[in-house]
């Protein structure tokens, strides 16, 4: 992810830009359907070193910021039946290692995901997509774009499935696809987010 790898941001601390990042999940719903949702409140840092394999990532997400576009469904997902956001308000990912991928600009991120009070190792297939100056402050802020994917089994984290359905299956499927479209930048976005009154 650095000049040593031939792509990506240089050494230093890079900050997750929540305004231009999408943290997406897709789950089976009512056995036959598929529902897409996002988490809107996230904070993270990418610490890049001269040796790319020693770089690290840490991300914290507010579970109450889940959004599938239906208020009643989102309230149910926040309840003790599923995410239980009162007792588990944060979802956290901390990387443990990085390794080069098979394709140019690709790599794998290994780490621990803490969800619903349980921590499990996961791996993300990631790719550096490109770089560009900030649209609002091109002279001060510079960004890099990444894509990443993984799959989670909710049962491994003790997240409920909503129970059985009359026609068979469970309300929410165990396997969830995760798609991350992320921008990181060299400036902490917090002051700008406060300036524009951004709320997730």
């Amino acid at each position: 992810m650095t000049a040593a790898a031939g792509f990506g941001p240089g050494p230093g601390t890079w900050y997750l830009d929540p305004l231009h990042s999408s943290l997406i999940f897709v789950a089976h719903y009512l056995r036959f359907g598929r529902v897409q949702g996002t988490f809107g409140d996230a904070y993270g840092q990418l610490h890049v070193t001269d040796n790319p394999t020693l770089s690290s990532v840490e991300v914290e997400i507010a579970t109450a910021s889940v959004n599938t576009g239906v208020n009643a469904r989102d309230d149910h997902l926040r309840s003790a039946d599923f995410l239980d956001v009162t007792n588990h308000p944060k979802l956290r990912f901390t990387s443990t290692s990085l390794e080069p991928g098979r394709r140019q600009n690709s790599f794998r991120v290994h780490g621990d995901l803490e969800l619903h009070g349980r921590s499990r190792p996961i791996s993300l297939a990631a790719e550096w997509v490109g770089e560009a100056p900030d649209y609002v402050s091109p002279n001060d802020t510079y960004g890099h774009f990444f894509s990443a994917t993984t799959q989670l089994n909710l049962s491994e984290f003790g997240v409920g499935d909503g129970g059985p359905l009359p026609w068979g299956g469970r309300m929410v499927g165990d396997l969830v696809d995760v798609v991350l479209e992320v921008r990181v930048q060299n400036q902490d976005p917090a002051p700008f987010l406060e300036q524009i009154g951004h709320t997730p």
Side-chain angles (χ1 to χ4, degrees), residues 6-26:
F7 65 90
T13 298
W14 297 77
Y15 301 87
L16 176 69
D17 169 18
L19 294 182
H20 302 99
S21 298
S22 297
L23 313 179
I24 305 164
F25 64 88
V26 184

Side-chain angles (χ1 to χ4, degrees), residues 23-100:
L23 313 179
I24 305 164
F25 64 88
V26 184
H28 283 284
Y29 184 64
L30 300 178
R31 186 178 182 185
F32 301 112
R34 296 272 280 174
V35 170
Q36 176 177 300
T38 62
F39 287 95
D41 184 357
Y43 176 82
Q45 293 185 0
L46 167 62
H47 304 284
V48 179
T49 62
D50 290 320
N51 181 346
T53 61
L54 299 180
S55 300
S56 62
V57 179
E58 53 195 38
V59 178
E60 185 174 274
I61 299 171
T63 52
S65 68
V66 63
N67 178 17
T68 65
V70 179
N71 290 336
R73 180 168 60 208
D74 295 342
D75 288 341
H76 194 193
L77 290 175
R78 296 182 186 108
S79 75
D81 289 344
F82 296 101
L83 295 173
D84 192 8
V85 303
T86 299
N87 293 308
H88 307 291
K90 299 292 184 181
L91 178 162
R92 297 180 178 87
F93 175 78
T94 304
S95 69
T96 54
S97 64
L98 281 75
E99 62 176 311

Side-chain angles (χ1 to χ4, degrees), residues 170-191:
R170 316 293 287 187
M171 180 177 290
V172 174
D174 187 47
L175 187 65
V176 174
D177 295 315
V178 177
V179 179
L180 308 177
E181 299 294 340
V182 173
R183 179 182 183 270
V184 298
Q185 61 182 44
N186 59 339
Q187 303 289 338
D188 188 339

